[in-house]
Amino acid sequence: MPQRRRKRTEHPRLKVDEVRWTCDPGRFDFETTESLGSPEPFLGQKRALRALQFGAEARNPGFNVFVVGQHGTGRTSMTLQHLKRIATGRPVPDDYCYIHDFDNDGGAPRALRLPAGLGRRLRNGMRDLVKELDQSLPRAFEEEDYERDRMALKMTVEQRQADVFDDLRQAAEDKGFAIARTQQGFAVAPVGEGTVIGPAQLADLSEEVQEQLKAAEKEVRDLLRQTLRKFRDIEKESIQQLEDLERESAESVVSHAMYGLMQSMREQPDAKAYLEAAKTDILANLDEFKPAHDDGEMAMMGPGQGADAFPFTHRYKVNLLVDNGSLEGAPVIREDFPTYRNMLGRINHETHFGSLVTHFSMIRPGSLHLANGGFLVVDAEDLLRNAQAWDGLKRALRVKQLKLEDPYEQLKLQSIVPIEPDPIPLDVKVVLIGTPLVFHLLHNNDPDFPELYKVTAEFRQSMGRSVRSIDAFAGFCAARCQELDLLPLTPAALARLCEHSARSAGQQDRLDLRFRDLIDLLHETDFWARQTCKERDLPAPCAADAEHVEIALEQRIDRG
């Protein structure tokens, strides 16, 4: 059976002017792009930015944004620019501090939340307070009134002890015994005719007399024990009276030093409670502010006693973890190195007697802390190279908390004295930026991803060619030339750039939106405009022309 010949499809033949689109420089009504006004913002990416706006405004859980786009489309710069516009109208988030827990005396460091700017005031105020008390408290204990009261108290105690001892001695004499002080304490001995009866004389006495002396000695020793208990009670009472005297003298000094800080925090209940607890702790540890200290005590501490590795007054420090006092609006943070510690924070350590010790003042924030209340922008590929960081981010977004922990702690060879700071509430939008390949890999292989990233903002690689889009393209080129201090463009140069953009897009009716290549071409055009004039001994050019764009394109081809 003969084969049927397949009918050949006839394609229309193209004319020469239909193969390549050309842009007429006469359509531009200016001498150079220097005279153009402000460009249209976010050229060709309105759809992506509407999605970004929605994700930023949505308050529902999981409505974080994944920005999808190829490299060079302006996805990162436009995202940051748009988020900063949104953040400007947002309230400034609160400050976060870590403080000593006076109630549990060094338990888990407490997180303190304060309105923006007050965290810095509290930190500086506590720092200045310790400096002032280091000077004013020792002076308070050297004043004449305090020294006079202390000496009077000391004399009263000595007199009371002397009276108690006199009563004991009189009672012993009435029973025929004498009491003497020795290096070992007190000695009790029988007395006869004004002299102490020695062992030899005691042996010559009758058994009846000896039994009477033993019974009397027992009564005297009982009195001595009672007297010693009175001595201890008097000493305890005197110590309490001395502490009360010190506290009374110091309280006015401490109250005066803390008055301004107390007033600035009077409308912050948590901060006010912290200051009251700090004041109580200072008055309970006045010895730490006295100049005479045995520094050798620190050296005798055993390893692992982390609190002793730091000066006592470190407990009054305020670790200002997040300081938003200088912000205007919500924060927009870009994390260029998304490791676990850079994103979720870290706790630094020091070596002390062979152990790694730490202190709440050594807690450092991550970019999630700094972006809390605003936006965090991260490159998805960089993040996925750090599996611990990706897992930590997902956990923080799920539980809406930032809990500081070290994922590598179990790998450390030295013993560690850990601390467990309070977690911090998390309210942030984390924007990931990546290629379509990365997006689909995550969407298809990570079950957590669709729950946490419900909004996709896709940046296009090209836009339709129209009168409006060409004008917008011209405005974009003009703005970049001005921003980068490049020569402005003539209409002919701009027309040639439009033609190159259409060729890069692969379609005559579209313009390429890969701005990185365009900006590189603007730099190269500027270079060849200046270089050409220099080689021809011409004055410096006022603008770049189509000739210079053509040279830049030819040189690209020549470089391969």
Side-chain angles (χ1 to χ4, degrees), residues 27 40 43 46 463-474:
R27 70 174 308 283
E40 179 181 343
L43 177 61
K46 293 293 183 64
M463 65 177 177
R465 177 173 59 82
S466 64
V467 173
R468 181 176 178 180
S469 63
I470 292 176
D471 289 339
F473 183 87

Side-chain angles (χ1 to χ4, degrees), residues 303-318:
Q305 301 182 23
D308 300 321
F310 304 94
F312 180 83
T313 52
H314 270 43
R315 66 201 287 133
Y316 305 116
K317 280 189 171 185
V318 173

Side-chain angles (χ1 to χ4, degrees), residues 220-486:
V220 172
R221 290 190 180 279
D222 289 341
L223 290 174
L224 176 60
R225 283 192 289 269
Q226 294 175 14
T227 300
L228 292 176
R229 282 197 294 268
K230 289 181 181 179
F231 275 11
R232 286 193 292 270
D233 292 341
I234 291 173
E235 287 177 356
K236 289 180 181 179
E237 186 179 343
S238 67
I239 291 173
Q240 184 61 50
Q241 290 176 341
L242 181 59
E243 289 178 353
D244 292 343
L245 176 62
E246 289 181 346
R247 185 183 181 91
E248 182 181 348
S249 300
E251 187 164 10
S252 60
V253 175
V254 176
S255 297
H256 176 75
M258 296 185 72
Y259 178 78
L261 191 55
M262 285 280 198
Q263 287 297 109
S264 65
M265 300 294 162
R266 63 182 181 276
E267 296 181 1
Q268 306 301 322
D270 291 341
K272 190 175 180 181
Y274 163 73
L275 291 174
E276 292 288 353
K279 178 181 176 181
T280 301
D281 190 78
I282 291 171
L283 294 175
N285 294 279
L286 292 174
D287 286 346
E288 301 294 338
F289 292 89
K290 293 179 181 178
H293 270 302
D294 184 7
D295 294 333
E297 290 182 4
M298 184 73 71
M300 296 300 293
M301 296 295 182
Q305 301 182 23
D308 300 321
F310 304 94
F312 180 83
T313 52
H314 270 43
R315 66 201 287 133
Y316 305 116
K317 280 189 171 185
V318 173
N319 183 357
L320 182 53
L321 194 74
V322 180
D323 181 8
N324 290 323
S326 302
L327 288 183
E328 295 180 1
V332 178
I333 305 296
R334 179 182 177 181
E335 179 54 71
D336 293 320
F337 303 98
T339 63
Y340 184 94
R341 294 180 177 181
N342 285 351
M343 291 192 64
L344 286 97
R346 66 187 186 277
I347 303 175
N348 290 338
H349 294 81
E350 290 183 0
T351 303
H352 180 66
F353 289 107
S355 295
L356 289 175
V357 297
T358 189
H359 189 265
F360 74 89
S361 62
M362 300 174 71
I363 299 172
R364 298 293 179 263
S367 51
L368 279 170
H369 293 92
L370 301 178
N372 203 2
F375 305 95
L376 176 63
V377 179
V378 187
D379 185 274
E381 292 182 35
D382 292 339
L383 178 61
L384 294 177
R385 291 190 184 99
N386 297 275
Q388 293 279 4
W390 174 233
D391 290 339
L393 172 62
K394 291 190 295 182
R395 184 166 55 251
L397 292 176
R398 278 198 306 268
V399 302
K400 296 183 179 180
Q401 280 188 342
L402 282 171
K403 183 175 177 61
L404 277 160
E405 55 188 4
D406 189 351
Y408 308 105
E409 184 173 326
Q410 59 186 350
L411 302 178
K412 293 178 179 175
L413 300 178
Q414 289 179 289
S415 60
I416 300 174
V417 180
I419 58 174
E420 296 183 1
D422 280 351
I424 289 177
L426 181 63
D427 178 20
V428 67
K429 291 286 185 178
V430 180
V431 179
L432 295 184
I433 299 178
T435 61
L437 175 61
V438 173
F439 172 79
H440 289 297
L441 284 173
L442 283 171
H443 194 275
N444 295 330
N445 295 283
D446 191 332
D448 297 323
F449 181 76
E451 294 297 320
L452 296 174
Y453 283 86
K454 299 181 179 180
V455 181
T456 305
E458 184 175 2
F459 274 65
R460 299 185 297 172
Q461 289 184 248
S462 64
M463 65 177 177
R465 177 173 59 82
S466 64
V467 173
R468 181 176 178 180
S469 63
I470 292 176
D471 289 339
F473 183 87
F476 177 85
C477 292
R480 297 294 81 76
C481 288
Q482 184 175 3
E483 176 186 326
L484 301 171
D485 195 25
L486 304 177

Side-chain angles (χ1 to χ4, degrees), residues 10 19 64 70 152 190-191 201 249 291 311 354 361 371 376 446 477 518:
E10 295 290 337
V19 175
N64 295 290
Q70 294 293 349
V191 178
Q201 294 174 303
S249 300
S361 62
L376 176 63
D446 191 332
C477 292
L518 175 61

